[in-house]
Amino acid sequence: MSKNIQRQAVADHFGSLAQDYDAWKQKASYYYGYVMAGLRSTIPPGRRILELGCGTGAILESLQPSYGLGIDVSAEMIAVARQRRPHLSFEVADVEHLRLDKSFDYVVMVDLVEHLSS
């Protein structure tokens, strides 16, 4: 499978889950609560944070950034993130080819690596 086809398959998969993604994460609240607590114990509020593979932006929002940018390959996920978290910034992009002209204090990736090309 080519990298472009694989990337599109990942985008399509998560796009189909976008509207219900936060509910699915709530069902795994023990895991995500633990992840968010760990991140919050490391990253103080008020920092500039980039989240790669942000989904609907719930983790990014929980970190209370002064500026938060979420990147996801799924346009549907980004649409939900923008609707639910308008105070944060979101962009549709492939993180494997990402070029940004901004700086961040922290870069966060949760449950992303397994969806990247080798």
Side-chain angles (χ1 to χ4, degrees), residues 7 18 37 40 48 62 64 67 73-74 83 102 105:
R7 210 170 356 269
R40 284 192 301 264
R48 294 177 55 84
S62 79
Q64 302 174 356
Y67 173 74
V73 71
S74 168
Q83 177 188 22
K102 300 172 179 137
D105 301 312

Side-chain angles (χ1 to χ4, degrees), residues 17-109:
L17 300 174
Q19 290 300 319
D20 299 319
Y21 192 65
D22 288 340
W24 281 108
K25 287 181 109 173
Q26 185 61 34
K27 289 181 181 195
S29 62
Y30 180 80
Y31 168 74
Y32 286 105
Y34 184 76
V35 168
M36 286 194 251
L39 290 170
R40 284 192 301 264
S41 73
T42 304
I43 302 172
R47 299 300 196 259
R48 294 177 55 84
I49 301 171
L50 170 65
E51 183 180 10
L52 303 176
C54 68
T56 62
I59 291 172
L60 181 61
E61 181 179 51
S62 79
L63 298 173
Q64 302 174 356
S66 62
Y67 173 74
L69 174 59
I71 305 292
D72 203 281
V73 71
S74 168
E76 293 85 357
M77 283 287 191
I78 293 299
V80 171
R82 287 176 177 156
Q83 177 188 22
R84 293 183 184 167
R85 296 162 179 94
H87 56 288
L88 299 172
S89 298
F90 297 97
E91 294 180 20
V92 177
D94 176 1
V95 300
E96 293 185 64
H97 299 98
L98 188 62
R99 302 286 182 261
L100 296 174
D101 60 353
K102 300 172 179 137
S103 63
F104 296 90
D105 301 312
Y106 295 90
V107 177
V108 176
M109 298 184 303

